[in-house]
Amino acid sequence: MSEWVRFRIYIINFKQQRRNFSSFSSLGSMCRGRCRAEAANGGRRNKVSTFHSLMESTVSARFNTMKLCFASSALFFAFSSSGVGAVPTDPSYFEQIVDHNNDNSEATYKQRFYEKGDYWSGPGAPIFLVMGGEGAIPPETGLFYPYVNDVLAEEFGGYVLEPEHRFYGDSQPTGVAPPGVSNEDLKNLMTPLQALADAKRLVKAKQKELGCTERGTPNYCPVFVIGGSYPGFLSFSMRLLHGDVIDASYAASAPIRFYAQQIDQYDYYELITKSAERSLAGCAANVRDALADVSQKILSSPSVDDIASKIGVCPGPKIPEYSASSVSNFQEEIMMVIGYTFANYNMGNYPPDDTTDLYKTCLMFGDELSAAEKVKTLLLNLTGDEDAAECFDMNSQLPAGPNATITSGDWSGVGTGGDGSMWDFQTCSMLVETIGFSGSRDMFPPREWTMDWLTQHCGDRFDVEPKPLEYAREWGFDDIMQNTNVTRVLFTNGLNDGWAVGSILESLDEGERQLIAMNFPNGAHHSDLSHETPGPNDTEDIQQGHKDVIELFHKWLADIKAEGKF
């Protein structure tokens, strides 16, 4: 990497820390790129680390003096590691039903959840139900949407309730953690429908505990359900299916049209590419050229081990067995890692400036390194310590369980370990996502997604057959306007976010039904529901969006009270 690029990245990192320190002083936003451990519940899977500084031991001696000028920046770096936003919280546990579809079973399990009543003004005030998603919510994460916890809750005197999704973290219906759960139990119990029933039962119990009365009475506590990404889809679905309990929905970056099978498979990575190009002009061409060159070298190599070390991959047993003897499979898996790494960086590309992981990665691909060195730099960065790591362990990208592969049900990546296994199952069964690489509309080597591939993968992994349209047709979200049961739903979207291609981007009814869309040109993946405290570092469109949501919620609460005639 050229010395100029390395120095430029150092300055970028310094600028970010200085901004973070200022934000810390005013309870503003820090660590703006979604560091993705949060993701299961607010973004996506925790697959990769953030882009580490590429400086440390490799900057030329002539820049060392410049580095000393920034010695005072150590204070800023110290603050940046923790951030403010998601609030560590002691968990609570709820005696939850294992199988809501079996009236003959009384089996229960302990569902972990978090709650906050600091601003609760008593019966008659709203409950904000924040849906958990495809990952554990440990106590160190706790309550993860400060805009909900500390802005909406204070504005409306509301109570915040946040359940962990079944089969993630501590919330294990069978008492066995993944991947030890049987395939039959997963088919029966690991469904969005069961997760929605969990949330409904929990919020009804909490209403009773808080002294709330029946709908239509003065002390009724309206329930506003909120979520981002897959939890955004769950939020919409709660209003769709459980309108007897849920009064309104806030669905951020909700991939509804993905699950209705209404998008072209190449739309997702096309928008990822456009977002990268917006981040830094020339990025798409630089990435496309480098990946084409490396792909050609892999495919023409006599063996996987022969090429692996040249692009920074650990040879031998650290290459998954299924990929170790096939250069074509090896090429596909390496390109998949690179593809979903860019997808991760795309989701955290907020604010869209020169401090984000996406920008830094684009800057590196524009350097004068060879194509192989660029790929090596990216892969070594995923180890968490580029300078110390000798090579990239491909096994680190595998979800848990038998027959695991890097390419899994979700081609934006499923994550690793038990959580990765569960998201692989979910995208193998009811939540099918058609995502492929075109090679022309995006910056990645071509690879077509097919239902045949998914069916084979899911059968090998979980003995399950994908059912891509079952929920869309049964629940009626393949044509929302025809489903007159759906009212009071807010769809929000960051237009830089790849998931926006499968979200609801236009208001469907601004009149009686109140199916409202808000779009943020500078937003990434549910940037309006960030894990950081809203503040001056937010772009103007997100700041305005926060005000508009409050105004809309006031209107909806007034409508709910008018419906109850109190």
Side-chain angles (χ1 to χ4, degrees):
M1 181 180 296
S2 70
E3 294 168 347
W4 167 247
V5 170
R6 292 182 184 276
F7 182 65
R8 174 65 178 145
I9 291 175
Y10 182 81
I11 296 299
I12 290 168
N13 284 337
F14 171 75
K15 286 168 59 182
Q16 176 68 36
Q17 310 315 318
R18 180 176 61 188
R19 185 179 70 180
N20 286 347
F21 179 71
S22 174
S23 301
F24 180 84
S25 300
S26 61
L27 294 181
S29 170
M30 297 179 66
C31 189
R32 273 295 177 183
R34 267 180 181 67
C35 301
R36 302 230 2 139
E38 50 122 272
N41 300 290
R44 305 289 292 174
R45 272 64 58 211
N46 178 18
K47 298 186 288 275
V48 298
S49 62
T50 53
F51 196 95
H52 294 271
S53 169
L54 301 177
M55 292 296 299
E56 297 306 320
S57 63
T58 53
V59 178
S60 170
R62 69 171 178 263
F63 288 122
N64 286 341
T65 300
M66 291 182 171
K67 287 174 66 179
L68 290 173
C69 293
F70 297 109
S72 63
S73 70
L75 181 61
F76 302 132
F77 280 84
F79 278 117
S80 74
S81 63
S82 58
V84 290
V87 180
T89 310
D90 290 334
S92 299
Y93 290 86
F94 179 67
E95 202 71 26
Q96 188 59 267
I97 297 293
V98 169
D99 187 355
H100 298 277
N101 297 327
N102 186 354
D103 294 335
N104 296 319
S105 173
E106 298 181 356
T108 62
Y109 75 99
K110 301 288 187 183
Q111 182 179 25
R112 182 163 63 180
F113 71 97
Y114 298 88
E115 56 191 329
K116 183 173 182 177
D118 293 9
Y119 304 108
W120 175 240
S121 60
I127 294 173
F128 296 111
L129 174 63
V130 179
M131 298 300 290
E134 67 275 33
I137 312 176
E140 54 267 28
T141 298
L143 295 158
F144 44 70
Y145 293 153
Y147 176 60
V148 178
N149 307 333
D150 298 315
V151 179
L152 295 181
E154 182 175 20
E155 176 73 19
F156 296 99
Y159 199 94
V160 180
L161 188 63
E162 180 188 287
E164 184 175 60
H165 193 295
R166 56 171 49 209
F167 287 105
Y168 292 102
D170 277 2
S171 302
Q172 300 297 330
T174 65
V176 179
V181 187
S182 74
N183 290 336
E184 288 306 308
D185 279 340
L186 289 177
K187 293 173 191 177
N188 293 329
L189 304 175
M190 180 44 153
T191 68
L193 202 59
Q194 296 270 15
L196 297 177
D198 284 346
K200 177 180 179 179
R201 188 169 179 271
L202 173 63
V203 77
K204 288 181 68 176
K206 185 57 62 174
Q207 284 177 312
K208 183 177 181 180
E209 178 186 319
L210 293 173
C212 305
T213 53
E214 294 297 317
R215 185 177 278 174
T217 62
N219 284 336
Y220 173 67
C221 302
V223 179
F224 283 59
V225 61
I226 299 172
S229 195
Y230 166 53
F233 169 73
L234 293 177
S235 170
F236 163 75
S237 301
M238 283 290 288
R239 178 62 179 153
L240 173 67
L241 298 179
H242 298 300
D244 58 323
V245 173
I246 304 300
D247 296 276
S249 166
Y250 178 172
S253 298
I256 296 167
R257 294 179 62 243
F258 273 94
Y259 301 143
Q261 309 306 310
Q262 292 174 341
I263 68 160
D264 182 88
Q265 68 166 293
Y266 301 126
D267 289 348
Y268 177 79
Y269 276 109
E270 179 179 19
L271 187 49
I272 300 294
T273 298
K274 289 179 178 177
S275 180
E277 185 65 18
R278 179 184 175 186
S279 182
L280 183 64
C283 181
N286 291 333
V287 172
R288 183 181 292 114
D289 290 346
L291 298 187
D293 182 272
V294 169
S295 290
Q296 189 277 328
K297 284 182 169 60
I298 293 174
L299 293 173
S300 61
S301 179
S303 70
V304 169
D305 278 348
D306 182 72
I307 188 63
S309 60
K310 296 174 183 176
I311 59 171
V313 175
C314 305
K318 293 189 176 182
I319 297 173
E321 185 176 351
Y322 70 88
S323 193
S325 59
S326 168
V327 291
S328 62
N329 184 279
F330 178 79
Q331 182 268 345
E332 288 181 341
E333 296 297 65
I334 289 296
M335 293 302 136
M336 182 60 68
V337 171
I338 294 171
Y340 66 57
T341 297
F342 272 99
N344 283 339
Y345 293 162
N346 166 266
M347 288 192 290
N349 186 36
Y350 177 79
D353 57 21
D354 64 0
T355 66
T356 67
D357 296 343
L358 181 62
Y359 179 90
K360 296 174 191 177
T361 307
C362 285
L363 187 66
M364 183 270 291
F365 269 89
D367 192 30
E368 297 178 357
L369 292 169
S370 69
E373 284 295 320
K374 292 174 183 178
V375 168
K376 180 177 181 179
T377 299
L378 184 149
L379 294 177
L380 289 183
N381 181 68
L382 302 187
T383 65
D385 190 345
E386 183 205 4
D387 294 323
E390 296 181 357
C391 57
F392 172 67
D393 181 353
M394 287 179 67
N395 289 319
S396 68
Q397 301 297 296
L398 291 172
N403 303 317
T405 54
I406 290 172
T407 302
S408 297
D410 178 356
W411 282 24
S412 78
V414 299
T416 61
D419 286 357
S421 176
M422 290 301 91
W423 187 241
D424 195 8
F425 175 81
Q426 290 195 265
T427 52
C428 264
S429 49
M430 311 305 290
L431 302 175
V432 173
E433 300 168 349
T434 55
I435 299 174
F437 302 91
S438 77
S440 57
R441 290 164 52 184
D442 57 46
M443 60 191 179
F444 306 99
R447 186 178 177 188
E448 183 184 13
W449 179 98
T450 68
M451 183 57 72
D452 287 343
W453 181 91
L454 184 69
T455 301
Q456 181 67 49
H457 168 77
C458 299
D460 291 343
R461 280 281 274 153
F462 306 107
D463 189 29
V464 67
E465 182 178 349
K467 297 179 180 179
L469 286 170
E470 184 164 315
Y471 279 170
R473 290 171 176 167
E474 286 186 3
W475 301 1
F477 63 82
D478 53 343
D479 190 346
I480 295 172
M481 285 306 296
Q482 292 299 314
N483 192 330
T484 56
N485 292 326
V486 187
T487 61
R488 284 196 295 264
V489 180
L490 170 62
F491 306 99
T492 63
N493 307 284
L495 298 184
N496 278 328
D497 175 26
W499 293 100
V501 302
S503 301
I504 305 299
L505 297 175
E506 297 180 359
S507 294
L508 301 177
D509 186 339
E510 296 183 358
E512 182 178 356
R513 293 181 61 186
Q514 290 287 287
L515 304 176
I516 308 296
M518 292 184 188
N519 297 324
F520 308 116
N522 294 305
H525 200 53
H526 63 77
S527 300
D528 50 317
L529 287 181
S530 168
H531 289 233
E532 308 302 334
T533 302
N537 286 332
D538 282 311
T539 55
E540 290 183 6
D541 51 347
I542 295 293
Q543 292 184 46
Q544 184 59 48
H546 286 154
K547 296 175 184 176
D548 292 343
V549 170
I550 290 173
E551 181 179 349
L552 181 64
F553 278 18
H554 274 295
K555 176 189 180 325
W556 284 355
L557 279 171
D559 291 345
I560 292 165
K561 290 187 176 182
E563 291 168 3
K565 297 182 173 57
F566 57 86

